[in-house]
Amino acid sequence: ELKVEQNPLFLSMQEGKNYTIYCNYSTTSDRLYWYRQDPGKSLESLFVLLSNGAVKQEGRLMASLDTKARLSTLHITAAVHDLSATYFCAVEINNDMRFGAGTRLTVKP
Amino acid sequence: NAGVTQTPKFRILKIGQSMTLQCAQDMNHNYMYWYRQDPGMGLKLIYYSVGAGITDKGEVPNGYNVSRSTTEDFPLRLELAAPSQTSVYFCASRETGNYGYTFGSGTRLTVV
């Protein structure tokens, strides 16, 4: 059974600092997604990673994928308050997208 | 384009009642999905459809039914509501061969 584990589940950061969120999954997958969710809102797609070694960057966020280790990372550079949200990774196999429990990020001044 | 539209946004049901959550998309996407999100958790797949007339179970289908008579609509039916079905329900769609999912704004359902 496909399982997806994120850590940490809670992350409190100072503005300007860097940090990494980790996403491990248990079986070979078709693709890996990163989403952002603000409280009471829907999901916003951040990245889709398709192949081993894939790296994508948007602003202060960079995602990477290591399919051999079954690991994806979401790196935050020089955090700002606007990045405060919950971040989910999700792994898809045959139309079944399994989500991690999410990382609740708070960026403090 | 409106994208993925879900109705209602909020609903309170009594135990044993039934209801249909509506989901419509205007992007001509073949793939549609229903997820539920319990507090503090990630989303779990209930049912999905790869085209009109075709549906399949996801990870947590018990207590739910779906139909897909048109490309645009993918309603989710709860027949006998139970407190365990209290959750936020998200509908999503994507285009064949495209990896990007479009999510609706969600329906917050409480069963009392």
Side-chain angles (χ1 to χ4, degrees), chain A residues 1 31 33 35 37 40-45 48 50 88 92 94-102 104, chain B residues 31 33 35 37 40-45 48 50 58-59 90 94 98-101 103-106 108:
Chain A
E1 181 187 346
R31 56 197 69 96
Y33 298 82
Y35 292 95
Q37 186 178 39
K41 302 294 186 182
S42 187
L43 275 72
E44 174 190 353
S45 179
V48 181
L50 304 178
F88 292 97
E92 183 181 0
N94 297 328
N95 285 302
D96 188 350
M97 188 161 59
R98 299 287 174 103
F99 284 76
R104 186 170 297 180
Chain B
Y31 290 73
Y33 306 81
Y35 290 89
Q37 184 179 29
M41 302 294 290
L43 279 66
K44 292 187 177 181
L45 182 63
Y48 69 96
V50 299
E59 184 182 3
F90 289 100
R94 71 180 175 94
N98 188 320
Y99 308 125
Y101 285 71
F103 283 86
S105 58
R108 187 175 297 269

Side-chain angles (χ1 to χ4, degrees), chain A residues 42-43, chain B residues 1-9 21-35 68 71-75 89-95 100-107:
Chain A
S42 187
L43 275 72
Chain B
N1 285 343
V4 178
T5 302
Q6 290 185 238
T7 56
K9 294 191 182 303
L21 282 66
Q22 301 291 345
C23 176
Q25 52 93 8
D26 61 358
M27 299 170 285
N28 202 33
H29 287 176
N30 282 326
Y31 290 73
M32 295 188 75
Y33 306 81
W34 273 108
Y35 290 89
R68 185 91 182 274
T71 299
E72 294 77 19
D73 299 300
F74 190 39
Y89 292 82
F90 289 100
C91 180
S93 72
R94 71 180 175 94
E95 191 175 6
Y101 285 71
T102 301
F103 283 86
S105 58
T107 295

Side-chain angles (χ1 to χ4, degrees), chain A residues 2-76:
Chain A
L2 175 58
K3 293 189 177 181
V4 181
E5 293 185 352
Q6 278 182 246
N7 70 84
L9 298 182
F10 297 93
L11 179 55
S12 180
M13 298 175 64
Q14 294 283 347
E15 279 192 330
K17 298 292 187 181
N18 305 332
Y19 209 84
T20 300
I21 299 170
Y22 296 88
C23 176
N24 290 92
Y25 54 99
S26 58
T27 63
T28 303
S29 74
D30 295 333
R31 56 197 69 96
L32 188 137
Y33 298 82
W34 284 97
Y35 292 95
R36 168 181 172 146
Q37 186 178 39
D38 292 303
K41 302 294 186 182
S42 187
L43 275 72
E44 174 190 353
S45 179
L46 296 174
F47 303 109
V48 181
L49 302 171
L50 304 178
S51 59
N52 188 45
V55 177
K56 290 194 174 181
Q57 184 164 4
E58 181 73 33
R60 300 175 187 274
L61 301 178
M62 183 175 70
S64 65
L65 178 62
D66 181 344
T67 58
K68 294 179 181 178
R70 295 177 186 160
L71 171 69
S72 179
T73 61
L74 181 67
H75 187 72
I76 303 158

Side-chain angles (χ1 to χ4, degrees), chain B residues 33-71:
Chain B
Y33 306 81
W34 273 108
Y35 290 89
R36 60 176 285 172
Q37 184 179 29
D38 297 329
M41 302 294 290
L43 279 66
K44 292 187 177 181
L45 182 63
I46 305 171
Y47 272 95
Y48 69 96
S49 169
V50 299
I54 306 170
T55 62
D56 212 341
K57 296 178 180 179
E59 184 182 3
V60 290
N62 291 345
Y64 307 94
N65 280 299
V66 293
S67 60
R68 185 91 182 274
S69 57
T70 67
T71 299

